[in-house]
Amino acid sequence: MTRKRRRSGKTVPKKSNAAGLTALALCFTRRLQLQAPPPVVDVAGEPPGGPSTAAAANLVFSPVSVYAALALLAAGARGSTLQELLDALGGDSRDDLTAFAGRAGERALADRSRSRSRAGAVGGPAVAFACGAWLDAAWALLPAFRDAAAAASYNAEARAVDFGNQPAEKAVGEINRCVAAATNNHIDSILDPSSVDTLTTLVLCSAIYFKGRWEAPFAKAHTVVDKFHRLDGSTADVPFMSSVRSQYIAIRKGYKLLKLPYRSPAAPAPAPRRKGATPSESNRPTGDGGDDDDDDPAPKYSMCIFLPDERDGLPGLVEKIASGAGFWHYRLPTSQVPVGAFRLPKFKVSASGSVREVLRDGMGIKSAFVAGEADLADMAAKRDDDEDAARTPLCVSDVCHKAVLEVNEGGTVANGATASYMLCGASAIMEQPATVDFVADHPFVFFVIEEVSRAIIFVGRIVDPSVSG
């Protein structure tokens, strides 16, 4: 006998914004799998001993900014296109998406460089972030989209670019100059001329610059050169930061977790108010705990490193993280422990490319990328005097991503374009010994987070720190 499920009104819970951001994070985390090389990223540099492949390369992503770019897209979407975005990102409406993206941006992506730390030192993380929609000039942006919806998503804007009637180099140059200006020239480009052609109608880009200082910097005099063990069994001589200071370390089943706090401001920096938003709306907290929190504690930035116990344990660890539905913040180490051997490699990793396939195949956002199926009628209208607009339906040609992250004794310098978000799966905490060794001399996963809002700013993997760039 077939059992029928009775439905009465809304019996299936709607995915929340936080759940949507979690899903986006896990989707990007899966792209760290070595068995499934992500087609979205080109990694600069070749490891010693042979050419690099995407399946065995360092990778980095960044998802709060991807969410912001997609929220911007949703502000102009209707019908099935909007519904796919709502299903993927959560929320009951497009206003919900843009408001959540705005609050997350104000919390995790506001510049704190002029604030003072809890110890009185000047300078929390320096952050420059912007995202935008670049539309072909054959289409006229609707005032409501430009002035209201676009401004609702954190630091977002919409601009016209003549893809159809000028060389690709010129159109791309306009976009790259906007990105450079928004990030104080820390990111000088996000697109190359091959990214667009005369049929391009809409490109989404998101850029972030992040520079953090460790709460407790490493002494350069203690940096030593040692062996890093690659997955293929070969080794590379790389500089390792070392310390005898107690660290935030937790022992889990199959891996260890290190948290390195950045210098954080003593009080939240005043966030730039979004156009049309009241002061109370602009400063609402963004944590997964909901929007009803009355307090607004100071942000706390950290880098967290998942180190598998086995030298070849990265694939299994990534699978565990990507499949886990638990919340990472419950599993972060909360107290410092004395260390025995402690070594962490210096590294620089970069990646750039399109995240269109990730969003289409991993998040179910499909119609926005298909000419004739994308419904972006609330974003722009055909110009009456442009016949080409009638022949070229408006759709998203690409969503572009770029990220560069460097870890050294003083802290982290990160440049990114588009974002990523990651959650860790549930694991039992193992009994903690008197001292803990943490020697990251084999491949590991890392992420940069803002703990209060639970926003993950960067996530990536390091398989060979000797490859720079």
Side-chain angles (χ1 to χ4, degrees), residues 164-251:
N165 297 307
Q166 65 182 6
E169 291 82 358
K170 186 174 181 180
V172 167
E174 290 183 32
I175 296 174
N176 287 339
R177 283 191 292 273
C178 290
V179 169
T183 60
N184 298 318
N185 293 313
H186 291 294
I187 301 173
D188 58 6
S189 66
I190 187 172
L191 296 177
D192 61 65
S194 64
S195 303
V196 304
D197 56 33
T198 57
L199 298 179
T200 298
T201 54
L202 175 63
V203 174
L204 295 177
C205 297
S206 178
I208 176 175
Y209 168 80
F210 179 97
K211 180 179 180 180
R213 302 178 184 180
W214 299 130
E215 194 173 83
F218 294 90
K220 290 186 177 181
H222 295 162
T223 297
V224 297
V225 175
D226 210 336
K227 301 289 185 185
F228 187 91
H229 301 266
R230 304 188 187 103
L231 289 169
D232 63 3
S234 63
T235 62
D237 292 328
V238 301
F240 284 82
M241 302 178 292
S242 62
S243 176
V244 296
R245 186 187 298 113
S246 295
Q247 302 287 344
Y248 289 94
I249 301 175
I251 299 177

Side-chain angles (χ1 to χ4, degrees), residues 77 87 113 115 125 144 162 190 203 213 224 232 247 283 310 342 410 437 459:
D87 291 343
S113 59
S115 61
D162 195 352
I190 187 172
V203 174
R213 302 178 184 180
V224 297
D232 63 3
Q247 302 287 344
N283 294 302
E310 304 298 329
F342 182 89
D437 293 340
V459 59

